[in-house]
Amino acid sequence: GDVDLHVRRKGVKGPTFLSGTVNLHDGLYVQHASALVWSGPRRPELHPPYFSVTNQPVADWKLDVAVKGDRFLRARTPLFSGLLSATLNLGGTFRQPVLTGDARIRSGRIVLPFGSMNIDSGIASFSGNDPQGPNLQINASGRNYRYDIRLGVKGPADIAEVTFSSTPPLTSEQILLMLTAGEVPQTDYTFSS
């Protein structure tokens, strides 16, 4: 990205400020399928803004940095491929940084072993006080095995509520089995070779 940051101090003993903008572009995030397999003990999860600097004199510097990027990140994971944008602000201090704003999915697709869905809308909102991660609001839809499937994700990332619905109606369990294992509901038709 492009960085335009300024450090200034008010008076001889006044607080030091880091301010400016970071314009993000040309990002790529790739995750291998092996990341989905549990491989041992895990460290505690970090929460936004994902860092803290405790070394003096930098720890008490005040932050006011605008972080933005339009379609700056291409993400490729075993379950999701898409293009993301962000409009964020980094405030607080280096010791206790505060992240506010939104990250949005501009276009994307959820790919499961036996089905896929297009992301209709997706947003992660950072309020500055996110102990359970950003607040998610994601809607996706697709047609699989002659069913119109809809996915909704709402709430903080760590405890988000994930709901499935379909037309004709199926239970969430039936939809999940259909998309992950290819199991078409027994009450419906079967496919011949």
Side-chain angles (χ1 to χ4, degrees):
D2 302 319
V3 179
D4 181 18
L5 298 175
H6 309 276
V7 177
R8 70 182 191 285
R9 183 177 205 156
K10 291 191 174 184
V12 177
K13 296 194 181 211
T16 302
F17 292 85
L18 176 68
S19 61
T21 59
V22 177
N23 290 309
L24 303 171
H25 56 83
D26 301 326
L28 177 63
Y29 175 78
V30 178
Q31 184 182 47
H32 192 270
S34 63
L36 298 176
V37 179
W38 184 78
S39 61
R42 299 177 74 167
R43 64 180 174 82
E45 294 292 325
L46 297 173
H47 296 290
Y50 307 109
F51 76 94
S52 175
V53 178
T54 57
N55 297 345
Q56 289 297 344
V58 178
D60 295 324
W61 286 14
K62 301 201 180 299
L63 297 167
D64 184 17
V65 179
V67 181
K68 54 188 170 182
D70 186 32
R71 301 176 185 267
F72 77 95
L73 182 64
R74 287 181 299 137
R76 302 284 183 261
T77 74
L79 297 174
F80 170 76
S81 293
L83 197 55
L84 287 80
S85 296
T87 304
L88 303 165
N89 189 68
L90 186 59
T93 64
F94 272 99
R95 182 186 314 272
Q96 293 181 322
V98 177
L99 185 65
T100 57
D102 300 326
R104 295 181 182 271
I105 299 172
R106 292 299 183 190
S107 64
R109 188 166 180 82
I110 296 171
V111 180
L112 296 164
F114 292 92
S116 62
M117 290 175 273
N118 291 320
I119 304 283
D120 300 320
S121 64
I123 186 167
S125 298
F126 300 86
S127 68
N129 182 18
D130 304 309
Q132 296 176 320
N135 194 44
L136 303 177
Q137 179 76 32
I138 301 169
N139 294 304
S141 61
R143 186 156 177 87
N144 297 282
Y145 295 103
R146 298 184 187 164
Y147 288 90
D148 290 320
I149 308 291
R150 290 171 301 286
L151 165 71
V153 180
K154 289 182 182 180
D158 287 354
I159 58 168
E161 179 182 324
V162 179
T163 57
F164 287 97
S165 61
S166 70
T167 305
L170 295 172
T171 66
S172 290
E173 292 80 10
Q174 288 174 313
I175 295 170
L176 198 55
L177 276 172
M178 183 173 58
L179 295 175
T180 59
E183 185 176 309
V184 179
Q186 296 298 324
T187 58
D188 201 33
Y189 54 86
T190 57
F191 291 101
S192 66
S193 57

